[in-house]
C-alpha cells in the first residue's frame, strides 16, 4: 500500500523530511489500513484488495484538482497540508464509507476515522461537498423530487465515477432513485454548455441505455459497448484540436435492471468484465449499473 500511495505524494513535498509531508503520508496509510481492516472484519477477507488502492489514487488526484479549482472561488483549503487532508477526507468517504449500506457500520467507521482530522468530524467536510455538488444538478422540484441523502450520495458517487471512467453499480430497493440519478446526470452534464459553472469544467456526457431482462444476451451487451466506442471515435474525428480542448466528452453506458439480466439463461453478465477491462483509455467507456 505504501509503495502505491507514494506515487501520489512525492510531487507535493520535495523535502521528504518535511513534518507536514510525514504527517499526511502517515495519516493516509493508517486510515486506509483501518478501512481495509474494518471492512474485512465486517464482511470477508476478499471484500477489499490492492485494487482499492489503485482507485484511491485515481480519486485522490480527482478530488485534489476539484478542491484546488474550488479554492479559486472559496478559500476553504489554504496551504498544501490542509488541501491534502481535505482530499484524503473526501477520498476515504467515497472509496470506503459509501460502499457500506448499514447505518450502524457507517457510524462505527466514521468514529474510527475521526482521529485523523484534528478535532473535526470525519463526515463534516465530505457531506458539505456532497451537498454542494448535488445542488449543482438540475432537479425538477415541481415533480415532487426531494434532494434527500440517498439521491445526494448517488449523484455525488456517479459524478465522480463517470468522470474518471470507473465502473459503478448502484444497489438499492425500487424507488430509491437509481434511475432518477442517471436521468438527472444526463440532463445536467453538458460540458461547456452546462448551466452550472461546476459542470462546465467537466466533459459532456453521451449516454447509451441497456435494459436488462431475462432474455438478455452477451452479444447484446457487447454491441452496446461497441456502439458507444464507435460514437466516441466519430465524435473525436469531427472535433478540431481547438474545439477538442473545450468540448470534451464521455461516452457512457447505463445498464438498468442488472438483476433481471442475471436471471437470463444466456448468462449475459459474463461479457461485462472484458468490456470494463478495455485498455484503450482514449475510448474507455464510463459504466453505471443498477
Amino acid at each position: 500500500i505504501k509503495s502505491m500511495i507514494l506515487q501520489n505524494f512525492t510531487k507535493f513535498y520535495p523535502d521528504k523530511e518535511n513534518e507536514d509531508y510525514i504527517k499526511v503520508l502517515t495519516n493516509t496509510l493508517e486510515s486506509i489500513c483501518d478501512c481495509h481492516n474494518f471492512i474485512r472484519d465486517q464482511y470477508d477477507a476478499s471484500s477489499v484488495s490492492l485494487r482499492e488502492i489503485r482507485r484511491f489514487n485515481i480519486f485522490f488526484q480527482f478530488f485534489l484538482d476539484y478542491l484546488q479549482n474550488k479554492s479559486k472561488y472559496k478559500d476553504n483549503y489554504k496551504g498544501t497540508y490542509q488541501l491534502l487532508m481535505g482530499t484524503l477526507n473526501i477520498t476515504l468517504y467515497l472509496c470506503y464509507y459509501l460502499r457500506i449500506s448499514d447505518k450502524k457500520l457507517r457510524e462505527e467507521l466514521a468514529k474510527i476515522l475521526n482521529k485523523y482530522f484534528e478535532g473535526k468530524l470525519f463526515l463534516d467536510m465530505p457531506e458539505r461537498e456532497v451537498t454542494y455538488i448535488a445542488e449543482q444538478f438540475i432537479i425538477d422540484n415541481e415533480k415532487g423530487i426531494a434532494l434527500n441523502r440517498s439521491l445526494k450520495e448517488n449523484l455525488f458517487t456517479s459524478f465522480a465515477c463517470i468522470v474518471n471512467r470507473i465502473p459503478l453499480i448502484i444497489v438499492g430497493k425500487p424507488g430509491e432513485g437509481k434511475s432518477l440519478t442517471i436521468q438527472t446526470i444526463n440532463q445536467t452534464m453538458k460540458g461547456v454548455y452546462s448551466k452550472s459553472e461546476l459542470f462546465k469544467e467537466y466533459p459532456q456526457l453521451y449516454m447509451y441505455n441497456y435494459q436488462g431482462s431475462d432474455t438478455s444476451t452477451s452479444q447484446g451487451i457487447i454491441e452496446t459497448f461497441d456502439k458507444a466506442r464507435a460514437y466516441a471515435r466519430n465524435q473525436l474525428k469531427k472535433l478540431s484540436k481547438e474545439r477538442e480542448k473545450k468540448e470534451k466528452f464521455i461516452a457512457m453506458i447505463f445498464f438498468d435492471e442488472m438483476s433481471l439480466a442475471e436471471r437470463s439463461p444466456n448468462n449475459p453478465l459474463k461479457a461485462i468484465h472484458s468490456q470494463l477491462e478495455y485498455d484503450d483509455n482514449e475510448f474507455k467507456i464510463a459504466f453505471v449499473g443498477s
Side-chain angles (χ1 to χ4, degrees), residues 86-275:
T87 304
L88 171 62
N89 197 172
I90 195 169
T91 307
L92 289 171
Y93 177 85
L94 175 58
C95 290
Y96 300 105
Y97 179 86
L98 286 182
R99 69 188 292 174
I100 299 172
S101 58
D102 185 271
K103 185 178 179 181
K104 289 184 178 179
L105 292 181
R106 280 188 171 191
E107 290 173 355
E108 288 179 29
L109 181 59
K111 286 179 182 178
I112 292 171
L113 296 175
N114 280 340
K115 63 185 176 184
Y116 295 105
F117 298 98
E118 301 174 345
K120 299 177 182 176
L121 295 177
F122 165 72
L123 291 177
D124 284 352
M125 180 266 185
E127 289 190 342
R128 183 174 66 246
E129 297 302 331
V130 167
T131 299
Y132 169 76
I133 290 173
E135 287 177 346
Q136 307 307 305
F137 285 96
I138 300 170
I139 306 293
D140 192 345
N141 295 319
E142 292 182 3
K143 292 184 178 180
I145 298 171
L147 194 57
N148 57 24
R149 175 180 290 274
S150 176
L151 182 55
K152 285 195 290 186
E153 289 180 356
N154 286 347
L155 288 169
F156 166 75
T157 309
S158 299
F159 163 65
C161 289
I162 289 168
V163 170
N164 290 285
R165 295 175 176 82
I166 291 180
L168 171 69
I169 297 176
I170 305 174
V171 182
K173 298 174 183 177
E176 289 191 348
K178 301 184 294 297
S179 297
L180 174 62
T181 296
I182 303 306
Q183 291 169 12
T184 303
I185 285 177
N186 191 38
Q187 291 169 3
T188 305
M189 290 186 66
K190 301 296 183 183
V192 292
Y193 307 106
S194 301
K195 291 184 179 180
S196 167
E197 291 298 320
L198 171 67
F199 296 117
K200 288 180 180 179
E201 303 284 333
Y202 297 98
Q204 183 171 1
L205 190 62
Y206 293 95
M207 190 172 77
Y208 285 79
N209 283 290
Y210 183 87
Q211 182 63 46
S213 70
D214 54 11
T215 59
S216 294
T217 63
S218 298
Q219 188 59 34
I221 293 172
I222 292 172
E223 285 176 359
T224 305
F225 275 91
D226 287 344
K227 286 178 184 177
R229 289 195 185 97
Y231 178 83
R233 290 188 179 95
N234 291 333
Q235 281 296 109
L236 204 58
K237 288 178 183 177
K238 292 178 184 178
L239 296 176
S240 64
K241 288 187 178 180
E242 286 302 314
R243 287 182 63 198
E244 189 181 329
K245 292 178 183 177
K246 297 180 180 179
E247 300 182 33
K248 294 181 180 179
F249 62 91
I250 295 174
M252 170 199 155
I253 290 172
F254 175 48
F255 194 133
D256 199 11
E257 300 291 357
M258 291 183 73
S259 59
L260 293 180
E262 194 173 20
R263 300 176 192 172
S264 170
N266 302 312
N267 193 18
L269 298 187
K270 65 184 179 183
I272 292 180
H273 188 269
S274 63
Q275 298 302 308

Side-chain angles (χ1 to χ4, degrees), residues 1 5 27-37 53 56 88 92 96 113 116:
I1 290 174
I5 291 298
N27 284 342
T28 301
L29 294 173
E30 290 183 359
S31 60
I32 289 174
C33 288
D34 280 350
C35 289
H36 278 230
N37 289 333
I53 309 304
F56 180 94
L88 171 62
L92 289 171
Y96 300 105
L113 296 175
Y116 295 105

